């Protein structure tokens, strides 16, 4: 999951052999603590892990789950230093990862695996023909990571403030001109802001143009220059005249809550429902996307090359992709993240559980989201795009 992936705080582990088997696949952990590192910037995500996943994991496996919040770039830097220093037993059992970070970690030999043949629920709930099981931002996965959830870039505005929402980049510019200073986005390389920039690139030059471009900065610049020019044109009408940008999605959300901007941006499709249910958003908020589509991708979990508790990590990953956990994760009161399972593989009871989830108003139906879901470009191109945005848009 790019610069914004999920993480957690380091704790001493208590060594202990566990003789029992789990009901989800019989994987036995060699110690009683599993450390899960990743992005910790979302209270909803943190709450699901701490209050839903961890207790259920302990009940099912007798293992303690410790969430350690750390940015993925710091995680990979730590692992790289340990790889170079010959550290055979590290600190992390499972990490939340995707996109260019997976691409980097794979090429730097920072991931343990392949693991999918050892994750019991992998063949129970996942569709083997699903492209997300085989490619992450265009990078072949090769069984080295397992889908965790599905994300899609969405916009959330207030119908009590705006009669209609922009359905294209051109309409976004018109809105910014009408309400100067009331629109902004997070600065790349923030995960959401980077995706917003790529979405604008798709709008202006088309997905195929950037997807077919070679992984070369000069070549990519020539392809996306019209989109960068558009963003430069947009800048004077943004918050702070585009001279500065929020650095995190949480900050952007708070600006929306405080009425400083007209809409916020999220990678959680059910973000509006979350806000309505926790009382931070009025019930007049609504999710919207561009007519030509918004970027969607899948985030994953993987095991570091020097994980101290591989068996426990495999058990956690299997539990994460179980129908029970994926359904609780879909509930906006917990997180609101889209499931990775194949619905056709659910039992009648599990389908009933899924259908019983009422995520309330403010969101787009799943079929509308899927109809407006566009793919990601190759991971190696994203840092190049981010650098070009910093040079030509932020530096303009």
């Amino acid at each position: 999951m790019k610069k914004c992936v999920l993480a957690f705080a380091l704790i001493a582990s208590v060594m202990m052999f566990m003789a029992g088997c789990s009901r989800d696949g019989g994987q036995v952990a060699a110690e009683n603590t599993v450390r899960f590192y990743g992005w910790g910037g979302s209270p909803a995500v943190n709450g699901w892990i701490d209050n839903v996943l961890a207790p259920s994991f302990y009940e099912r496996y007798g293992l303690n789950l410790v969430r350690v919040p750390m940015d993925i770039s710091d995680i990979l830097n730590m692992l790289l230093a340990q790889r170079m220093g010959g550290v055979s037993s590290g600190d992390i059992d499972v990490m939340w990862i995707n996109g260019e970070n997976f691409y980097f970690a794979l090429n730097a030999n920072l991931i343990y695996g392949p693991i999918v043949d050892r994750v019991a629920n992998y063949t129970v709930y996942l569709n083997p023909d699903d492209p997300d099981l085989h490619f992450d931002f265009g990078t072949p996965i090769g069984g080295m990571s397992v889908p965790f959830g599905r994300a899609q870039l969405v916009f959330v505005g207030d119908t009590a403030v705006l009669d209609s929402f922009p359905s294209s980049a051109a309409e976004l510019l018109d809105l910014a001109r009408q309400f100067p200073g009331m629109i902004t986005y997070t600065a790349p390389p923030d995960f959401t802001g980077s995706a917003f920039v790529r979405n604008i690139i798709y709008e202006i030059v088309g997905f195929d143009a950037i997807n077919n471009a070679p992984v070369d900065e000069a070549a990519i610049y020539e392809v996306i220059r019209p989109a960068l020019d558009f963003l430069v044109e947009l800048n004077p009408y943004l918050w702070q005249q585009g001279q500065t940008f929020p650095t995190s999605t949480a900050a952007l959300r708070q600006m929306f809550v405080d009425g400083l901007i007209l809409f916020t941006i999220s990678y959680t499709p059910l973000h509006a429902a979350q806000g309505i249910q926790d009382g931070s958003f009025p019930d007049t908020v609504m999710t919207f996307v561009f007519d030509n589509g918004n970027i969607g991708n899948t985030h994953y979990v993987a095991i570091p090359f020097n994980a101290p508790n591989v068996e426990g990590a495999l058990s956690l990953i299997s539990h994460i992709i179980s129908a029970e956990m994926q359904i609780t994760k879909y509930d906006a009161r917990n997180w609101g993240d889209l499931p990775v399972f194949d619905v056709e593989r659910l039992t009648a009871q599990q389908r009933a559980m899924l259908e019983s989830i009422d995520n309330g108003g403010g969101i787009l139906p799943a079929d509308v989201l899927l109809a407006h879901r566009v793919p990601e470009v190759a991971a190696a191109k994203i840092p190049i795009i981010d650098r070009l945005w910093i040079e030509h848009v932020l530096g303009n």
Side-chain angles (χ1 to χ4, degrees), residues 317-391:
I317 294 173
S318 186
H319 194 54
I320 283 173
I321 63 173
S322 68
E324 177 189 1
M325 288 298 97
Q326 288 288 308
I327 290 170
T328 63
K329 185 164 63 68
Y330 175 62
D331 191 330
R333 292 168 297 183
N334 295 323
W335 178 351
D337 193 44
L338 299 180
V340 297
F341 51 58
D342 178 2
V343 175
E344 297 300 318
R345 291 171 176 254
L346 301 184
T347 66
Q349 182 179 10
Q350 290 164 346
R351 287 196 192 198
M353 287 175 57
L354 180 63
E355 292 167 0
S356 72
I357 300 295
D358 180 8
N359 280 324
I363 58 178
L364 295 173
D367 58 340
V368 174
L369 286 170
L370 291 174
H372 292 81
R373 185 179 175 95
V374 292
E376 279 285 9
V377 298
K381 297 178 183 178
I382 294 176
I384 296 175
I385 295 171
D386 289 347
R387 289 197 301 270
L388 290 171
W389 179 88
I390 291 170
E391 179 181 355

Coordinates of all heavy atoms in Angstrom, one line a residue, residues 317-391:
I317 N -2.9 -14.1 8.9 CA -3.3 -13.8 7.5 C -4.5 -14.7 7.1 O -5.4 -14.2 6.5 CB -2.1 -14.0 6.6 CG1 -1.0 -13.0 6.8 CG2 -2.6 -14.0 5.1 CD1 0.3 -13.2 6.0
S318 N -4.5 -15.9 7.5 CA -5.6 -16.8 7.2 C -6.9 -16.3 7.9 O -8.0 -16.3 7.4 CB -5.3 -18.2 7.7 OG -6.3 -19.1 7.3
H319 N -6.7 -15.8 9.2 CA -7.9 -15.3 9.9 C -8.4 -14.0 9.3 O -9.6 -13.8 9.2 CB -7.5 -15.1 11.4 CG -8.6 -14.9 12.3 ND1 -9.7 -15.7 12.4 CD2 -8.9 -13.8 13.1 CE1 -10.6 -15.3 13.2 NE2 -10.2 -14.1 13.7
I320 N -7.5 -13.2 8.8 CA -7.8 -11.9 8.2 C -8.7 -12.1 7.0 O -9.7 -11.4 6.8 CB -6.6 -11.1 7.8 CG1 -6.0 -10.4 9.1 CG2 -6.9 -10.0 6.8 CD1 -4.6 -9.7 8.8
I321 N -8.4 -13.1 6.2 CA -9.2 -13.3 5.0 C -10.4 -14.3 5.2 O -11.1 -14.6 4.2 CB -8.3 -13.8 3.8 CG1 -7.7 -15.2 4.1 CG2 -7.2 -12.8 3.5 CD1 -7.0 -15.8 2.9
S322 N -10.7 -14.6 6.4 CA -11.8 -15.5 6.7 C -13.1 -14.6 6.4 O -13.1 -13.4 6.4 CB -11.8 -15.9 8.1 OG -12.0 -14.8 9.0
A323 N -14.2 -15.3 6.1 CA -15.4 -14.6 5.8 C -15.8 -13.8 7.0 O -16.3 -12.6 6.8 CB -16.5 -15.6 5.5
E324 N -15.7 -14.3 8.2 CA -16.1 -13.6 9.4 C -15.4 -12.2 9.5 O -16.0 -11.2 9.7 CB -15.8 -14.4 10.6 CG -16.2 -13.7 11.9 CD -15.7 -14.5 13.1 OE1 -15.1 -15.6 13.0 OE2 -15.9 -14.0 14.3
M325 N -14.1 -12.2 9.4 CA -13.3 -11.0 9.5 C -13.5 -10.0 8.4 O -13.6 -8.8 8.6 CB -11.8 -11.3 9.7 CG -11.5 -12.0 11.0 SD -11.9 -10.9 12.5 CE -13.5 -11.5 13.0
Q326 N -13.6 -10.5 7.2 CA -13.9 -9.7 6.0 C -15.2 -9.0 6.1 O -15.4 -7.8 5.7 CB -13.7 -10.5 4.7 CG -12.3 -10.8 4.4 CD -11.5 -9.7 3.9 OE1 -11.8 -8.9 3.0 NE2 -10.3 -9.5 4.6
I327 N -16.2 -9.7 6.6 CA -17.6 -9.1 6.8 C -17.6 -8.0 7.9 O -18.1 -7.0 7.7 CB -18.6 -10.2 7.1 CG1 -18.8 -11.1 5.8 CG2 -19.9 -9.6 7.5 CD1 -19.6 -12.4 6.1
T328 N -16.9 -8.3 9.0 CA -16.8 -7.3 10.0 C -16.1 -6.1 9.5 O -16.4 -4.9 9.9 CB -16.2 -7.8 11.3 OG1 -14.8 -8.1 11.1 CG2 -16.9 -9.0 11.9
K329 N -15.1 -6.3 8.7 CA -14.3 -5.2 8.1 C -15.1 -4.3 7.2 O -14.9 -3.1 7.0 CB -13.0 -5.7 7.4 CG -12.1 -4.7 6.9 CD -10.7 -5.3 6.6 CE -10.8 -6.4 5.5 NZ -11.1 -5.8 4.2
Y330 N -16.1 -4.9 6.5 CA -16.9 -4.2 5.5 C -17.9 -3.3 6.3 O -18.4 -2.3 5.7 CB -17.7 -5.3 4.7 CG -18.7 -4.7 3.8 CD1 -18.4 -3.8 2.7 CD2 -20.1 -5.0 3.9 CE1 -19.3 -3.3 1.9 CE2 -21.0 -4.5 3.1 CZ -20.6 -3.6 2.0 OH -21.6 -3.1 1.2
D331 N -18.2 -3.6 7.5 CA -19.2 -2.8 8.3 C -18.6 -1.5 8.6 O -17.5 -1.4 9.2 CB -19.5 -3.6 9.6 CG -20.6 -3.0 10.4 OD1 -20.8 -1.7 10.3 OD2 -21.3 -3.7 11.1
A332 N -19.2 -0.4 8.1 CA -18.7 0.9 8.3 C -18.5 1.3 9.7 O -17.7 2.2 10.0 CB -19.5 1.9 7.5
R333 N -19.2 0.7 10.6 CA -19.1 1.0 12.0 C -17.7 0.5 12.5 O -17.2 0.9 13.6 CB -20.2 0.4 12.8 CG -21.6 1.0 12.6 CD -22.7 0.2 13.1 NE -22.8 -1.1 12.5 CZ -23.7 -2.0 12.8 NH1 -24.6 -1.8 13.7 NH2 -23.7 -3.2 12.2
N334 N -17.1 -0.4 11.8 CA -15.8 -0.9 12.2 C -14.7 -0.3 11.3 O -13.8 0.3 11.8 CB -15.7 -2.5 12.0 CG -16.7 -3.2 12.9 OD1 -16.9 -2.8 14.1 ND2 -17.3 -4.3 12.5
W335 N -14.9 -0.4 10.0 CA -13.9 0.1 9.1 C -14.5 0.6 7.8 O -14.3 1.7 7.4 CB -12.8 -0.9 8.8 CG -11.7 -0.6 7.8 CD1 -11.6 0.5 7.0 CD2 -10.5 -1.3 7.6 NE1 -10.5 0.5 6.3 CE2 -9.8 -0.6 6.6 CE3 -10.0 -2.5 8.1 CZ2 -8.5 -1.0 6.1 CZ3 -8.7 -2.9 7.6 CH2 -8.0 -2.2 6.6
G336 N -15.3 -0.3 7.1 CA -15.9 0.1 5.8 C -15.0 -0.2 4.6 O -15.1 0.4 3.6
D337 N -14.2 -1.3 4.8 CA -13.3 -1.7 3.7 C -13.9 -2.8 2.9 O -14.5 -3.7 3.5 CB -12.0 -2.2 4.3 CG -10.8 -2.3 3.3 OD1 -10.7 -1.4 2.5 OD2 -10.1 -3.4 3.4
L338 N -13.8 -2.8 1.6 CA -14.5 -3.8 0.8 C -13.8 -5.1 0.9 O -12.6 -5.2 0.9 CB -14.4 -3.3 -0.7 CG -15.1 -2.0 -1.0 CD1 -15.0 -1.7 -2.5 CD2 -16.6 -2.1 -0.6
P339 N -14.6 -6.2 1.0 CA -14.0 -7.6 1.2 C -13.3 -8.1 -0.1 O -13.5 -7.6 -1.2 CB -15.3 -8.4 1.4 CG -16.4 -7.5 1.7 CD -16.1 -6.2 1.0
V340 N -12.4 -9.0 0.2 CA -11.6 -9.7 -0.9 C -12.2 -11.0 -1.3 O -11.7 -11.6 -2.3 CB -10.1 -9.8 -0.5 CG1 -9.5 -8.4 -0.3 CG2 -9.9 -10.7 0.7
F341 N -13.1 -11.6 -0.5 CA -13.6 -12.9 -0.8 C -14.5 -12.9 -2.1 O -15.0 -11.9 -2.6 CB -14.3 -13.5 0.3 CG -15.4 -12.7 0.9 CD1 -16.5 -12.2 0.2 CD2 -15.4 -12.4 2.3 CE1 -17.5 -11.5 0.7 CE2 -16.4 -11.6 2.8 CZ -17.5 -11.2 2.1
D342 N -14.6 -14.1 -2.6 CA -15.5 -14.4 -3.7 C -16.9 -14.7 -3.1 O -17.0 -15.7 -2.4 CB -15.0 -15.6 -4.6 CG -16.0 -16.0 -5.7 OD1 -17.0 -15.3 -5.9 OD2 -15.7 -16.9 -6.4
V343 N -17.9 -13.9 -3.3 CA -19.2 -14.1 -2.7 C -19.8 -15.5 -3.0 O -20.4 -16.1 -2.1 CB -20.2 -13.0 -3.1 CG1 -21.6 -13.2 -2.6 CG2 -19.7 -11.6 -2.7
E344 N -19.5 -16.0 -4.2 CA -20.0 -17.3 -4.5 C -19.4 -18.4 -3.6 O -20.0 -19.5 -3.6 CB -19.6 -17.6 -6.0 CG -20.3 -16.7 -7.0 CD -21.8 -16.7 -6.9 OE1 -22.3 -17.8 -6.8 OE2 -22.4 -15.6 -7.0
R345 N -18.3 -18.2 -2.9 CA -17.7 -19.2 -2.1 C -18.2 -19.1 -0.6 O -17.8 -19.9 0.2 CB -16.2 -19.0 -2.1 CG -15.6 -19.4 -3.4 CD -14.1 -19.0 -3.5 NE -13.5 -19.4 -4.7 CZ -12.7 -20.5 -4.9 NH1 -12.4 -21.2 -3.8 NH2 -12.3 -20.8 -6.1
L346 N -19.1 -18.2 -0.3 CA -19.7 -18.0 1.0 C -20.8 -19.1 1.2 O -21.5 -19.4 0.3 CB -20.2 -16.6 1.3 CG -19.2 -15.5 1.1 CD1 -19.9 -14.2 1.5 CD2 -18.0 -15.7 2.0
T347 N -20.9 -19.5 2.5 CA -22.0 -20.3 2.8 C -23.3 -19.5 2.9 O -23.2 -18.2 2.9 CB -21.8 -21.0 4.2 OG1 -21.8 -20.0 5.2 CG2 -20.5 -21.8 4.2
A348 N -24.4 -20.1 3.0 CA -25.7 -19.4 3.1 C -25.7 -18.5 4.4 O -26.2 -17.4 4.3 CB -26.9 -20.4 3.1
Q349 N -25.2 -19.1 5.4 CA -25.1 -18.3 6.7 C -24.2 -17.1 6.5 O -24.5 -16.0 7.0 CB -24.6 -19.2 7.8 CG -24.6 -18.5 9.2 CD -24.1 -19.4 10.3 OE1 -23.7 -20.5 10.0 NE2 -24.3 -19.0 11.5
Q350 N -23.1 -17.3 5.9 CA -22.1 -16.2 5.7 C -22.7 -15.1 4.8 O -22.5 -13.9 5.0 CB -20.8 -16.7 5.1 CG -20.0 -17.5 6.1 CD -18.9 -18.3 5.5 OE1 -18.9 -18.5 4.3 NE2 -18.0 -18.8 6.3
R351 N -23.4 -15.5 3.8 CA -24.1 -14.5 2.9 C -25.1 -13.7 3.6 O -25.3 -12.5 3.4 CB -24.8 -15.2 1.7 CG -23.8 -15.8 0.7 CD -24.5 -16.1 -0.6 NE -23.7 -16.8 -1.5 CZ -24.0 -17.0 -2.8 NH1 -25.1 -16.4 -3.3 NH2 -23.2 -17.6 -3.6
A352 N -25.8 -14.4 4.5 CA -26.9 -13.7 5.3 C -26.2 -12.7 6.2 O -26.7 -11.6 6.4 CB -27.6 -14.7 6.2
M353 N -25.0 -13.0 6.8 CA -24.3 -12.1 7.6 C -23.9 -10.8 6.8 O -24.0 -9.7 7.2 CB -23.0 -12.7 8.1 CG -23.2 -13.7 9.2 SD -21.7 -14.5 9.7 CE -20.7 -13.1 10.2
L354 N -23.4 -11.1 5.5 CA -23.0 -10.0 4.7 C -24.2 -9.1 4.3 O -24.1 -7.9 4.4 CB -22.4 -10.6 3.4 CG -21.9 -9.6 2.4 CD1 -20.8 -8.7 2.9 CD2 -21.4 -10.3 1.1
E355 N -25.3 -9.7 4.0 CA -26.5 -9.0 3.6 C -27.1 -8.2 4.8 O -27.8 -7.3 4.5 CB -27.5 -9.9 2.9 CG -27.0 -10.5 1.6 CD -27.9 -11.6 1.1 OE1 -28.8 -12.0 1.8 OE2 -27.6 -12.2 0.0
S356 N -26.8 -8.6 6.0 CA -27.4 -8.0 7.1 C -26.6 -6.7 7.5 O -27.1 -5.9 8.3 CB -27.3 -8.9 8.4 OG -26.0 -9.1 8.8
I357 N -25.5 -6.5 6.9 CA -24.7 -5.2 7.1 C -25.4 -4.0 6.5 O -25.7 -4.0 5.3 CB -23.3 -5.3 6.6 CG1 -22.5 -6.5 7.2 CG2 -22.5 -4.0 6.8 CD1 -22.3 -6.4 8.6
D358 N -25.8 -3.1 7.3 CA -26.5 -1.9 6.9 C -25.5 -0.7 7.1 O -25.3 -0.2 8.2 CB -27.7 -1.6 7.7 CG -28.5 -0.3 7.2 OD1 -28.0 0.3 6.2 OD2 -29.4 0.1 7.9
N359 N -24.8 -0.3 6.0 CA -23.8 0.8 6.1 C -24.4 2.2 5.9 O -23.7 3.1 5.8 CB -22.7 0.5 5.0 CG -21.7 -0.5 5.5 OD1 -21.4 -0.6 6.7 ND2 -21.3 -1.3 4.6
G360 N -25.8 2.2 5.9 CA -26.4 3.5 5.9 C -26.3 4.3 4.6 O -26.1 3.8 3.5
G361 N -26.5 5.6 4.7 CA -26.5 6.5 3.6 C -25.2 7.1 3.3 O -24.2 6.9 3.9
G362 N -25.2 7.9 2.2 CA -24.0 8.7 1.9 C -23.0 8.0 1.0 O -22.0 8.5 0.6
I363 N -23.3 6.7 0.6 CA -22.3 5.9 -0.1 C -22.9 5.5 -1.5 O -24.1 5.5 -1.7 CB -21.9 4.6 0.6 CG1 -23.1 3.8 1.0 CG2 -21.2 5.0 1.9 CD1 -22.8 2.5 1.7
L364 N -22.0 5.1 -2.4 CA -22.5 4.6 -3.7 C -22.6 3.1 -3.6 O -21.8 2.4 -3.0 CB -21.4 5.0 -4.8 CG -21.3 6.5 -5.0 CD1 -20.1 6.7 -6.0 CD2 -22.6 7.1 -5.6
P365 N -23.6 2.5 -4.3 CA -23.7 1.1 -4.4 C -22.5 0.4 -5.0 O -21.8 1.0 -5.8 CB -24.9 0.9 -5.3 CG -25.7 2.2 -5.3 CD -24.6 3.2 -5.1
A366 N -22.2 -0.8 -4.5 CA -21.0 -1.5 -5.0 C -21.0 -1.6 -6.5 O -19.9 -1.5 -7.1 CB -21.0 -2.9 -4.4
D367 N -22.1 -1.8 -7.2 CA -22.1 -2.0 -8.6 C -21.7 -0.7 -9.3 O -21.1 -0.7 -10.4 CB -23.5 -2.5 -9.2 CG -24.6 -1.6 -8.8 OD1 -24.5 -0.8 -7.9 OD2 -25.7 -1.7 -9.5
V368 N -22.1 0.5 -8.7 CA -21.7 1.8 -9.3 C -20.2 2.0 -9.1 O -19.5 2.4 -10.0 CB -22.5 2.9 -8.6 CG1 -22.0 4.3 -9.1 CG2 -24.0 2.8 -8.9
L369 N -19.7 1.6 -7.9 CA -18.3 1.8 -7.7 C -17.5 0.9 -8.7 O -16.5 1.4 -9.3 CB -17.9 1.4 -6.3 CG -18.3 2.4 -5.2 CD1 -18.1 1.7 -3.8 CD2 -17.5 3.6 -5.3
L370 N -17.9 -0.3 -8.9 CA -17.2 -1.3 -9.8 C -17.3 -0.8 -11.2 O -16.3 -0.9 -12.0 CB -17.8 -2.7 -9.6 CG -17.5 -3.4 -8.3 CD1 -18.2 -4.7 -8.2 CD2 -16.0 -3.6 -8.1
A371 N -18.4 -0.2 -11.6 CA -18.5 0.3 -12.9 C -17.7 1.6 -13.2 O -17.4 1.9 -14.3 CB -20.0 0.7 -13.2
H372 N -17.2 2.2 -12.1 CA -16.4 3.4 -12.2 C -15.0 3.1 -11.6 O -14.3 4.1 -11.1 CB -17.0 4.6 -11.5 CG -18.3 5.1 -12.2 ND1 -19.5 4.5 -12.0 CD2 -18.4 6.1 -13.0 CE1 -20.4 5.1 -12.8 NE2 -19.8 6.1 -13.4
R373 N -14.5 1.9 -11.7 CA -13.2 1.5 -11.1 C -12.2 1.4 -12.2 O -12.4 0.7 -13.2 CB -13.4 0.2 -10.4 CG -12.1 -0.3 -9.6 CD -12.4 -1.6 -8.9 NE -11.3 -2.2 -8.3 CZ -11.0 -2.0 -7.0 NH1 -11.8 -1.3 -6.3 NH2 -9.9 -2.6 -6.5
V374 N -11.2 2.2 -12.2 CA -10.1 2.1 -13.2 C -8.8 1.6 -12.5 O -8.6 1.8 -11.3 CB -9.9 3.5 -13.8 CG1 -11.1 3.9 -14.7 CG2 -9.6 4.6 -12.8
P375 N -7.9 0.9 -13.3 CA -6.8 0.3 -12.7 C -5.6 1.2 -12.4 O -5.6 2.4 -12.8 CB -6.4 -0.7 -13.8 CG -6.8 -0.1 -15.0 CD -8.1 0.7 -14.7
E376 N -4.7 0.7 -11.6 CA -3.5 1.4 -11.3 C -2.4 1.2 -12.4 O -2.4 0.2 -13.1 CB -2.9 0.9 -10.0 CG -3.5 1.5 -8.8 CD -3.1 3.0 -8.5 OE1 -2.5 3.6 -9.4 OE2 -3.5 3.5 -7.5
V377 N -1.5 2.2 -12.5 CA -0.4 2.0 -13.4 C 0.7 1.2 -12.7 O 0.6 0.9 -11.5 CB 0.2 3.4 -13.8 CG1 -0.8 4.2 -14.6 CG2 0.7 4.2 -12.6
A378 N 1.7 0.8 -13.4 CA 2.8 0.1 -12.9 C 3.5 0.8 -11.7 O 3.6 2.0 -11.7 CB 3.9 -0.2 -13.9
A379 N 3.8 0.1 -10.6 CA 4.3 0.7 -9.4 C 5.5 1.5 -9.6 O 5.7 2.6 -9.0 CB 4.6 -0.4 -8.4
A380 N 6.4 1.1 -10.6 CA 7.6 1.8 -10.8 C 7.4 3.2 -11.3 O 8.3 4.1 -11.2 CB 8.5 1.0 -11.8
K381 N 6.2 3.5 -11.9 CA 6.0 4.8 -12.5 C 5.5 5.8 -11.4 O 5.5 7.0 -11.6 CB 4.9 4.7 -13.6 CG 5.4 3.9 -14.8 CD 4.3 3.7 -15.8 CE 4.9 2.8 -17.0 NZ 3.8 2.6 -18.0
I382 N 5.0 5.3 -10.3 CA 4.3 6.2 -9.3 C 5.3 7.2 -8.7 O 5.0 8.4 -8.6 CB 3.6 5.4 -8.3 CG1 2.4 4.7 -9.0 CG2 3.1 6.3 -7.1 CD1 1.6 3.8 -8.1
P383 N 6.5 6.7 -8.2 CA 7.4 7.7 -7.6 C 7.9 8.8 -8.7 O 8.2 9.9 -8.3 CB 8.6 6.9 -7.1 CG 8.4 5.6 -7.8 CD 7.0 5.4 -8.0
I384 N 7.9 8.4 -9.9 CA 8.3 9.3 -11.0 C 7.2 10.4 -11.1 O 7.5 11.6 -11.2 CB 8.5 8.6 -12.3 CG1 9.7 7.6 -12.2 CG2 8.7 9.6 -13.5 CD1 9.9 6.7 -13.5
I385 N 6.0 9.9 -11.1 CA 4.9 10.9 -11.2 C 4.9 11.8 -10.0 O 4.7 13.0 -10.2 CB 3.5 10.1 -11.3 CG1 3.5 9.4 -12.7 CG2 2.4 11.1 -11.2 CD1 2.3 8.4 -12.8
D386 N 5.1 11.3 -8.8 CA 5.2 12.1 -7.6 C 6.3 13.1 -7.7 O 6.1 14.3 -7.4 CB 5.4 11.2 -6.4 CG 4.2 10.4 -6.0 OD1 3.1 10.6 -6.5 OD2 4.4 9.4 -5.2
R387 N 7.4 12.8 -8.2 CA 8.6 13.7 -8.4 C 8.2 14.8 -9.4 O 8.5 16.0 -9.2 CB 9.8 13.0 -8.8 CG 10.5 12.1 -7.7 CD 11.9 11.8 -8.1 NE 12.0 11.1 -9.3 CZ 12.0 9.7 -9.4 NH1 11.8 9.0 -8.3 NH2 12.2 9.1 -10.6
L388 N 7.6 14.4 -10.5 CA 7.2 15.4 -11.5 C 6.1 16.4 -10.9 O 6.2 17.6 -11.3 CB 6.7 14.7 -12.7 CG 7.7 13.9 -13.5 CD1 7.1 13.1 -14.6 CD2 8.7 14.9 -14.1
W389 N 5.2 15.9 -10.1 CA 4.2 16.8 -9.5 C 5.0 17.8 -8.6 O 4.7 19.0 -8.6 CB 3.2 16.0 -8.7 CG 2.2 16.8 -8.0 CD1 1.0 17.3 -8.5 CD2 2.3 17.4 -6.7 NE1 0.4 18.1 -7.6 CE2 1.1 18.2 -6.5 CE3 3.3 17.3 -5.6 CZ2 0.9 18.9 -5.3 CZ3 3.0 18.0 -4.5 CH2 1.8 18.8 -4.3
I390 N 5.9 17.3 -7.7 CA 6.6 18.2 -6.8 C 7.4 19.2 -7.6 O 7.4 20.4 -7.3 CB 7.6 17.3 -6.0 CG1 6.8 16.5 -5.0 CG2 8.6 18.2 -5.2 CD1 7.6 15.4 -4.2
E391 N 8.0 18.8 -8.7 CA 8.8 19.8 -9.5 C 8.0 20.7 -10.3 O 8.2 22.0 -10.3 CB 9.7 19.0 -10.5 CG 10.6 19.9 -11.4 CD 11.4 19.1 -12.3 OE1 11.4 17.8 -12.3 OE2 12.1 19.7 -13.2

